[in-house]
Amino acid sequence: PPLPGWLADAVAAVRRAWEQCEALVEWRKDEEQRRREALRARYAGKRILIAGGRRQPEWVERLRELTGAEVDWAERYRDEGDDLSRFAERIRAGTYACVVYLYQKSGHEVQDQLKWACEQADVPFRPAASAGWRGVVEGLASFA
């Protein structure tokens, strides 16, 4: 049987709304593509460090794909995690192109040790905009 008038009108309204959003979807895709190109231009073939929080293996893989860089993670949550002095030495040795600090997921010792090493080695050190994936990407993009 044919659709009731009110349902046909609702379907048409939703279809029009989707059509109006197509340009926005394309723009968003273009923005993501621009970000990917900028990140790859800056980091491809280099090494970046995510500092703090718990290691997220799926994020590491996604970051490799997004940036073309090798990704290390200085895991630190509360008082447990990796030896930060080892990462500080690697920063001073020029190993990293940048360090993104997950301050919302770690203690002050991460910043206390790694920010100073970054300043000594002239390596960019940026707090993540948020504790999630987007915060890490935005932190990286702020350097690109």
Side-chain angles (χ1 to χ4, degrees), residues 66-127:
L66 181 66
T67 63
E70 287 300 314
V71 179
D72 291 340
W73 197 304
E75 186 176 47
R76 195 71 177 182
Y77 184 72
R78 298 187 179 161
D79 292 337
E80 299 175 2
D82 295 327
D83 177 10
L84 296 176
S85 63
R86 190 182 83 209
F87 286 98
E89 287 304 316
R90 294 180 80 190
I91 290 167
R92 287 186 198 95
T95 303
Y96 299 109
C98 71
V99 176
V100 175
Y101 168 46
L102 289 170
Y103 70 94
Q104 295 171 333
K105 295 286 187 176
S106 60
H108 296 289
E109 71 278 0
V110 175
Q111 179 172 338
D112 293 345
Q113 288 190 43
L114 301 185
K115 185 175 183 183
W116 173 242
C118 287
E119 288 173 1
Q120 290 175 322
D122 198 28
V123 171
F125 181 90
R126 182 87 70 230

Side-chain angles (χ1 to χ4, degrees), residues 23-95:
L24 179 61
V25 169
E26 287 304 311
W27 172 83
R28 176 84 173 153
K29 193 184 309 178
D30 291 343
E31 180 66 26
E32 289 297 322
Q33 186 62 32
R34 282 191 296 271
R35 176 174 278 172
R36 174 184 286 274
E37 289 171 4
L39 290 172
R40 281 194 164 269
R42 170 93 166 129
Y43 300 116
K46 297 180 181 175
R47 187 174 289 276
I48 58 178
L49 177 65
I50 308 303
R54 296 198 187 272
R55 190 174 290 109
Q56 303 289 330
E58 64 279 2
W59 288 12
V60 170
E61 198 54 44
R62 288 173 64 189
L63 285 170
R64 283 182 184 141
E65 183 181 313
L66 181 66
T67 63
E70 287 300 314
V71 179
D72 291 340
W73 197 304
E75 186 176 47
R76 195 71 177 182
Y77 184 72
R78 298 187 179 161
D79 292 337
E80 299 175 2
D82 295 327
D83 177 10
L84 296 176
S85 63
R86 190 182 83 209
F87 286 98
E89 287 304 316
R90 294 180 80 190
I91 290 167
R92 287 186 198 95
T95 303

